[in-house]
Amino acid sequence: MHLMMILTALAVAWWLRSTWIGPEGNWNLRWRRSLFLFLFPPLLLFMTAIAVLCMGPQGKMGGMYTGWGSYLLALIYLGFFSILCIKHAIQGWQSVESARNCPLVNFGQRQIRLLNTGALFAGQIGFWHPELVVSQGLFQTLSSEHLESVLAHEQGHYHYRDTFWFFWLGWVRSCTAWLPNTDSLWEELLVLRELRADGYAASQVDPLLLAESLLLVVSSTPVLSEICCAALGSPGADRLEQRIEALLAPPEPISAAQLPSWHSFLLAFLPLVTVIFHT
C-alpha cells in the first residue's frame, strides 16, 4: 500500500511538471503559476515520504500489509534531500565567505564590499541579510547616474530577500532535477526575480538609464555561482531581452511575490492524512 502511495505521488508530480508550456500572462500570473508548478510536486513527494516513515515498515493500511521496501525507499529519498541541502548550504557559505574577504568600503551612505576585478559586477551575496558586492571595474566604467541605477536594482533584491528565498528554491531545483521542465521553470523564476528588481529600481531611477546599465554589465559579467547571489547581470540572452523590453514598455504593477493560494498547497499534505488509517 505504501508503494502505491509513492507511485501515485510520483505520477502526480510528473504530470504537474509536464503541464508547463512556457510563460503566459502578466507578471503576477506568471509568478504564481511557475512557483506552484515548481514547488508543489517536490512538496507532495516530501510529504508522502514523511507519511511512509511515520507509519513504519510494519502493520496494515487499507487491509493490505506494509513492508520494508517502501519504507527504505522513503528513507533513501529523504536522505538524498538532506545530503543535497547540506551540499547546497556549503556552496552558499563558500560564496558568502568569498564576499567577506573583499574589503568593506563606504560609498555615500552605503557600505559595500569592493571586488578587485576589472569585470563589471554588482550583486547581493548572502542569506537573509546579504551584503552588496561591487567590482572596481564597475566604479571605473559607469557614470554616477548609471551606477546609481545599478545600486537601486540591487536594493530591490535586498528588499525582497531574493538571496534567501532563491537559496531554498535552488535546493528544490537540485532535488527535482529529474522531473520534467525543472530547468525551464527555474529560468522562468530567475527572469521574474530580475523583472521584479528592475521594477523596484525603475520606481526610483530613470528606466532608460537602468536599461543602458544592464546592457553594459551583462556583456562583461563574470559567471558566478547563483547560490546566495542576486546580481544585476545574470547571464542569459532570453532574460536580457525580456528585461530590456519590460523597462522600455509602460510600467506594469509588480507586487511582492505571493505564494499561490494556500488551499492549493494544502493538497500536498494529504499523504499525512493516511497515517490515521495505518494500524
Side-chain angles (χ1 to χ4, degrees), residues 124-178:
Q124 297 283 353
I125 298 180
F127 289 91
W128 186 253
H129 291 291
E131 292 187 284
L132 178 59
V133 179
V134 181
S135 69
Q136 289 181 341
L138 197 74
F139 282 113
Q140 295 168 358
T141 304
L142 299 189
S143 66
S144 58
E145 292 82 6
H146 286 96
L147 186 59
E148 191 62 35
S149 68
V150 171
L151 298 183
H153 172 92
E154 293 306 324
Q155 183 60 34
H157 284 307
Y158 183 88
H159 176 76
Y160 294 115
R161 308 291 180 181
D162 284 335
T163 53
F164 177 81
W165 296 116
F166 274 79
F167 169 81
W168 297 109
L169 291 175
W171 169 54
V172 171
R173 176 201 181 194
S174 63
C175 293
T176 58
W178 49 275

Side-chain angles (χ1 to χ4, degrees), residues 20 27 40 57 59 80 174 210-211:
W20 167 255
W27 185 92
F40 186 89
F80 175 71
S174 63
L210 181 58

Side-chain angles (χ1 to χ4, degrees), residues 2 6 45-57 67-84:
H2 290 175
I6 294 173
L45 295 173
F46 189 74
M47 290 299 108
T48 301
I50 289 179
V52 171
L53 284 185
C54 289
M55 289 184 283
W68 280 95
S70 54
Y71 181 83
L72 290 175
L73 187 62
L75 191 62
I76 291 171
Y77 183 74
L78 291 177
F80 175 71
F81 261 45
S82 301
I83 291 172
L84 286 180

Side-chain angles (χ1 to χ4, degrees), residues 32-275:
R32 288 174 179 271
R33 183 169 179 269
S34 57
L35 193 61
F36 174 78
L37 292 177
F38 190 79
L39 282 180
F40 186 89
L43 183 60
L44 177 64
L45 295 173
F46 189 74
M47 290 299 108
T48 301
I50 289 179
V52 171
L53 284 185
C54 289
M55 289 184 283
Q58 298 177 345
K60 290 183 179 181
M61 182 180 173
M64 300 175 63
Y65 284 99
T66 59
W68 280 95
S70 54
Y71 181 83
L72 290 175
L73 187 62
L75 191 62
I76 291 171
Y77 183 74
L78 291 177
F80 175 71
F81 261 45
S82 301
I83 291 172
L84 286 180
C85 184
I86 294 172
K87 178 183 177 182
H88 206 65
I90 292 173
Q91 292 174 339
W93 183 254
Q94 289 172 343
S95 297
V96 173
E97 285 297 297
S98 65
R100 289 177 178 171
N101 288 332
C102 300
L104 191 63
V105 298
N106 292 319
F107 180 74
Q109 297 181 344
R110 299 181 178 91
Q111 280 195 324
I112 64 172
R113 296 283 180 179
L114 188 61
L115 185 63
N116 184 21
T117 177
L120 306 186
F121 175 82
Q124 297 283 353
I125 298 180
F127 289 91
W128 186 253
H129 291 291
E131 292 187 284
L132 178 59
V133 179
V134 181
S135 69
Q136 289 181 341
L138 197 74
F139 282 113
Q140 295 168 358
T141 304
L142 299 189
S143 66
S144 58
E145 292 82 6
H146 286 96
L147 186 59
E148 191 62 35
S149 68
V150 171
L151 298 183
H153 172 92
E154 293 306 324
Q155 183 60 34
H157 284 307
Y158 183 88
H159 176 76
Y160 294 115
R161 308 291 180 181
D162 284 335
T163 53
F164 177 81
W165 296 116
F166 274 79
F167 169 81
W168 297 109
L169 291 175
W171 169 54
V172 171
R173 176 201 181 194
S174 63
C175 293
T176 58
W178 49 275
L179 284 175
N181 293 316
T182 296
D183 287 338
S184 298
L185 284 165
W186 174 250
E187 286 298 321
E188 172 72 353
L189 290 172
L190 289 178
V191 169
L192 295 173
R193 180 189 74 176
E194 296 306 317
L195 288 174
R196 182 175 60 181
D198 288 341
Y200 179 94
S203 67
Q204 303 180 34
V205 299
D206 185 354
L208 184 57
L209 279 175
L210 181 58
E212 291 173 352
S213 302
L214 183 57
L215 286 171
L216 290 170
V217 173
V218 169
S219 63
S220 62
T221 295
V223 178
L224 299 174
S225 171
E226 291 183 325
I227 300 176
C228 300
C229 177
L232 173 72
S234 297
D238 186 55
R239 293 189 214 173
L240 177 61
E241 182 179 350
Q242 289 190 56
R243 292 170 64 184
I244 295 297
E245 289 178 354
L247 286 169
L248 298 180
E252 174 185 339
I254 293 179
S255 60
Q258 301 289 328
L259 284 175
S261 172
W262 281 108
H263 297 88
S264 301
F265 276 104
L266 287 176
L267 293 174
F269 291 84
L270 281 178
L272 297 178
V273 179
T274 61
V275 175

